Amino acid sequence: GVNHSNNDESTIMMRQKDPHSHALVLDPYCGCVAYVPCLGKDLIREFYYDKEAGSIAAEINALPSGLCTGKPDGPRYFEFHPSYDIAYVVNELSSTVAVFSIDRALLREIDRAHKAGESMEQFKGRSTLKLIQSISTIPKAFPTKMNTCGRICVHKSGRFVIVSNRGHESIAIFRVKTKGSSKGELSAVGYFHTRGETPRHYQFDSSGQFLIVANQDSNSIAVFNFNLCSGEIKFTGNEYRVPSPNFVCCCPIHGDDNYQTTSVLENIATALPVPEEIGLTDSDADTTIPTNQSSGLSRKELERELEQARREIDVLKKKMMSGMATTTSA
């Protein structure tokens, strides 16, 4: 088998010996293009997906998953931002996240052409993706050959992107920029030790304020608090022995739903710090675990984000309580 914490020449040769399609993700806008990260060929392949037939009908385009530095990238997973026309690709072998803008107009054109019975040949060589940023998931001082990336996800708030590092044994957290021409691009929050080896997978609980990390090679699962304002994580003290964990799935608990939902929402609101508690001190971007690197936002911008988060929680609470009231009356 392959040691996923190693990234030397022999391991890379084994990983990229053949084409290796690591995932398939449909676009969330029209559902007509399937994106396939090919780890073996350093490509993101774009296929036309026939929704009626339920099949991949034609390959439209293929583009590099990174900056084409001459070194392998190894694209692993593909994630969409929940509200921006942005997608994120984690490159396992180069320890980078590639940020792509999405051409929604072209997606709509492809969808309309199919509905009109037109050939997909007209879209050959036209990409719905454009690379706009590449950012490292590990500090500059840490050797890339000693790390590979595992999972990537976008936090449900849309404010943060999270990546696991196998070798550096950390969770890398990035803040999503929200303004101007750089909207959707990333800036590093920090790198946080997972209290184990080879964090293959992780998952947020339903509230988005707890991060559960599966450390495969140390046979452990660790639970962290996730700060919804700063994006930083802190170990809760809860750790569990599990043989070679490689996937985490959070399932809803059915019972006293009203109590649980209200409790979770109240906990979220309580967890948000007041503006005076938000640290604005810069620190070294390359510091390993933990780090308090500044987000680059001013105090006023942080206060506005905090107030927006509180408003969103209030709206969510009202919607959930209204839904439960409807269910109870039914």
Side-chain angles (χ1 to χ4, degrees):
V2 176
N3 185 333
H4 288 87
S5 296
N6 291 338
N7 200 19
D8 54 20
E9 289 186 11
S10 62
T11 304
I12 290 173
M13 188 178 300
M14 185 182 300
R15 298 285 279 153
Q16 296 199 307
K17 184 178 180 181
D18 299 299
H20 184 174
S21 298
H22 210 283
L24 186 152
V25 184
L26 287 177
D27 81 86
Y29 314 108
C30 303
C32 63
V33 172
Y35 299 95
V36 178
C38 182
L39 189 148
K41 297 300 180 184
D42 292 334
L43 296 173
I44 304 297
R45 303 174 70 185
E46 300 170 75
F47 294 90
Y48 170 66
Y49 175 70
D50 188 326
K51 291 179 284 186
E52 285 73 24
S55 62
I56 300 295
E59 183 168 5
I60 298 173
N61 190 61
L63 75 161
S65 64
L67 293 174
C68 299
T69 61
K71 297 181 179 180
D73 281 311
R76 183 175 175 87
Y77 288 121
F78 194 102
E79 288 278 327
F80 289 93
H81 191 278
S83 53
Y84 302 153
D85 296 341
I86 294 289
Y88 304 98
V89 174
V90 62
N91 286 308
E92 176 179 332
L93 304 180
S94 61
S95 295
T96 60
V97 175
V99 184
F100 292 89
S101 62
I102 299 173
D103 189 342
R104 288 185 66 174
L106 180 54
L107 286 171
R108 289 192 293 268
E109 186 180 344
I110 293 170
D111 196 35
R112 284 195 299 267
H114 168 70
K115 291 177 180 177
E118 299 175 13
S119 171
M120 291 295 110
E121 288 296 318
Q122 61 183 301
F123 300 108
K124 284 289 183 76
R126 299 175 64 185
S127 180
T128 60
L129 301 175
K130 179 183 179 182
L131 180 67
I132 59 174
Q133 185 190 21
S134 179
I135 186 169
S136 178
T137 69
I138 52 176
K140 291 179 181 178
F142 195 84
T144 303
K145 67 179 180 180
M146 294 177 63
N147 186 76
T148 64
C149 292
R151 186 180 183 225
I152 185 172
C153 83
V154 183
H155 189 266
K156 61 192 296 185
S157 67
R159 296 192 180 99
F160 303 98
V161 170
I162 299 91
V163 176
S164 62
N165 286 310
R166 302 174 295 185
H168 190 247
E169 321 300 16
S170 66
I171 295 293
I173 300 177
F174 303 93
R175 179 181 292 275
V176 178
K177 297 179 182 179
T178 60
K179 295 181 180 178
S181 59
S182 62
K183 180 184 290 187
E185 294 182 15
L186 305 176
S187 61
V189 171
Y191 317 95
F192 303 85
H193 199 278
T194 62
R195 300 186 67 87
E197 298 177 10
T198 317
R200 186 181 181 96
H201 199 263
Y202 58 84
Q203 190 68 264
F204 283 98
D205 78 316
S206 59
S207 73
Q209 61 179 334
F210 290 100
L211 184 68
I212 304 160
V213 180
N215 293 305
Q216 185 177 21
D217 289 344
S218 56
N219 303 312
S220 64
I221 289 178
V223 183
F224 298 84
N225 284 312
F226 183 81
N227 188 309
L228 296 170
C229 183
S230 69
E232 297 178 337
I233 60 174
K234 290 184 178 179
F235 182 52
T236 62
N238 295 309
E239 192 171 34
Y240 306 93
R241 309 305 297 175
V242 178
S244 191
N246 60 66
F247 192 86
V248 179
C249 180
C250 295
C251 302
I253 299 175
H254 298 284
D256 188 357
D257 294 332
N258 182 58
Y259 169 78
Q260 291 176 5
T261 304
T262 304
S263 176
V264 165
L265 289 168
E266 287 175 350
N267 286 341
I268 294 174
T270 303
L272 290 172
V274 295
E276 289 74 21
E277 295 174 340
I278 301 173
L280 298 177
T281 304
D282 288 339
S283 64
D284 186 356
D286 294 333
T287 300
T288 56
I289 320 143
T291 182
N292 291 315
Q293 181 178 340
S294 170
S295 64
L297 301 177
S298 68
R299 173 179 287 275
K300 287 186 178 180
E301 289 173 324
L302 283 172
E303 289 177 358
R304 282 198 296 269
E305 284 204 6
L306 175 61
E307 184 57 35
Q308 180 183 350
R310 291 186 183 277
R311 286 197 299 268
E312 290 176 357
I313 289 169
D314 288 337
V315 171
L316 178 61
K317 184 174 181 179
K318 289 177 182 178
K319 285 183 178 179
M320 295 182 74
M321 296 305 292
S322 174
M324 285 186 292
T326 303
T327 302
T328 302
S329 62

